[in-house]
Amino acid sequence: MRNNKNSAQRLLEISVFLGLGTIIITYIISTTSGRVAPFIPIISEMPFNEPESSIFGAGLGVSIFSFLILAQVFHSIFNEIITNLENKEIWRKRNDIIRIIASIGAICGIITVNFNWNNFPILHGITAFILFTSFLIWGTFANKIFELSGQKNKIRKYAVYAGWFFYIAMIIFNGLDGQQLISEDKDLFYRMDNPPTVDDERNIYLNLMALCEWCMVFSFYTGAITYRKDLEGIQI
């Protein structure tokens, strides 16, 4: 019988399914309690109360920490692939940079899910931005490396494209929501200190921004699970 105790593949599965499960459970609890609007909440507004806050912080914290470990594993995998590529030194330097970016992003992610928007708006916002951006950069690099090695995966490729699309769309709709707030004689950064509540009337831009965030996060996990085969037989 194969020992999966220290399997990188098993760690990836834990990271993906624990992350998705945590988000879904947090959504169910926060919406059925009547505290959060069912359609469609910003992910960060869901864990303001207990038990959602503890579930969200612990579940996603472990999920993201698992990715932090996997980023080091992938760094070694990429170095092996790079030995067969042209311009090896350039690719090795890029790989080292990507490792740092992914590690910083994961650390910021752990901070994000444990320091909630309602209590730490600036810290939460900055670390969330770094998390999303770094994961997209890592995913783009990883897909490119595997494609150069001949290991193409359409689901992975389109998950990366979708991630960038929804990331950019989310930023655009956030800007449009800000303009809407200004037209209502509110500050551009009004939402930073005033997260939306279930009783607030949500404009179309806020709803679209939230939808894009959900789609972007699901694209992350969709892309992540495609690396399962690439981690087969690798021990941590």
Side-chain angles (χ1 to χ4, degrees):
M1 182 178 293
R2 204 167 92 188
N3 182 12
N4 288 327
K5 184 177 179 181
N6 298 316
S7 167
Q9 188 182 69
R10 178 59 59 86
L11 186 62
L12 175 68
E13 293 168 351
I14 291 172
S15 179
V16 171
F17 294 114
L18 178 61
L20 284 173
T22 298
I23 292 173
I24 293 169
I25 290 170
T26 304
Y27 171 82
I28 291 171
I29 294 175
S30 61
T31 54
T32 55
S33 68
R35 191 187 60 77
V36 173
F39 188 84
I40 183 170
I42 299 169
I43 293 175
S44 293
E45 72 180 89
M46 298 193 302
F48 287 174
N49 291 350
E50 294 292 351
E52 303 100 299
S53 181
S54 294
I55 293 171
F56 190 82
L60 285 180
V62 172
S63 174
I64 297 170
F65 182 74
S66 298
F67 173 78
L68 175 60
I69 297 172
L70 289 169
Q72 319 314 312
V73 175
F74 277 110
H75 179 263
S76 297
I77 294 173
F78 296 157
N79 269 338
E80 290 180 12
I81 294 173
I82 287 169
T83 59
N84 298 313
L85 300 181
E86 296 180 1
N87 301 316
K88 295 180 182 60
E89 288 307 313
I90 293 175
W91 281 107
R92 283 199 182 97
K93 288 178 181 178
R94 290 174 180 174
N95 190 27
D96 291 341
I97 293 171
I98 290 297
R99 179 191 196 179
I100 293 170
I101 290 173
S103 298
I104 292 173
I107 293 169
C108 285
I110 294 169
I111 294 171
T112 301
V113 300
N114 285 284
F115 291 82
N116 293 330
W117 178 7
N118 57 329
N119 295 319
F120 304 93
I122 296 176
L123 177 63
H124 181 88
I126 292 173
T127 54
F129 176 76
I130 295 172
L131 166 69
F132 292 153
T133 307
S134 64
F135 275 26
L136 282 167
I137 293 171
W138 183 90
T140 304
F141 180 82
N143 180 64
K144 182 65 176 179
I145 286 288
F146 279 118
E147 284 190 342
L148 289 172
S149 70
Q151 303 175 59
K152 296 183 179 181
N153 186 301
K154 287 186 177 180
I155 294 176
R156 179 185 300 160
K157 180 177 72 173
Y158 291 126
V160 171
Y161 291 165
W164 280 110
F165 173 81
F166 289 117
Y167 171 82
I168 294 169
M170 182 177 67
I171 292 173
I172 292 172
F173 289 127
N174 181 58
L176 291 172
D177 176 59
Q179 293 299 313
Q180 181 72 26
L181 290 172
I182 291 173
S183 70
E184 296 171 0
D185 295 326
K186 295 176 181 176
D187 187 80
L188 178 63
F189 301 103
Y190 171 82
R191 294 208 192 280
M192 183 174 291
D193 295 318
N194 299 276
T197 68
V198 68
D199 297 320
D200 289 343
E201 183 177 348
R202 297 171 183 247
N203 63 54
I204 185 64
Y205 303 128
L206 184 63
N207 284 333
L208 287 172
M209 180 181 68
L211 179 62
C212 287
E213 182 189 29
W214 279 89
C215 291
M216 178 185 65
V217 169
F218 278 112
S219 74
F220 287 167
Y221 284 114
T222 300
I225 201 62
T226 65
Y227 295 103
R228 186 177 180 277
K229 184 178 179 180
D230 303 299
L231 294 173
E232 189 171 352
I234 296 178
Q235 300 297 309
I236 298 173

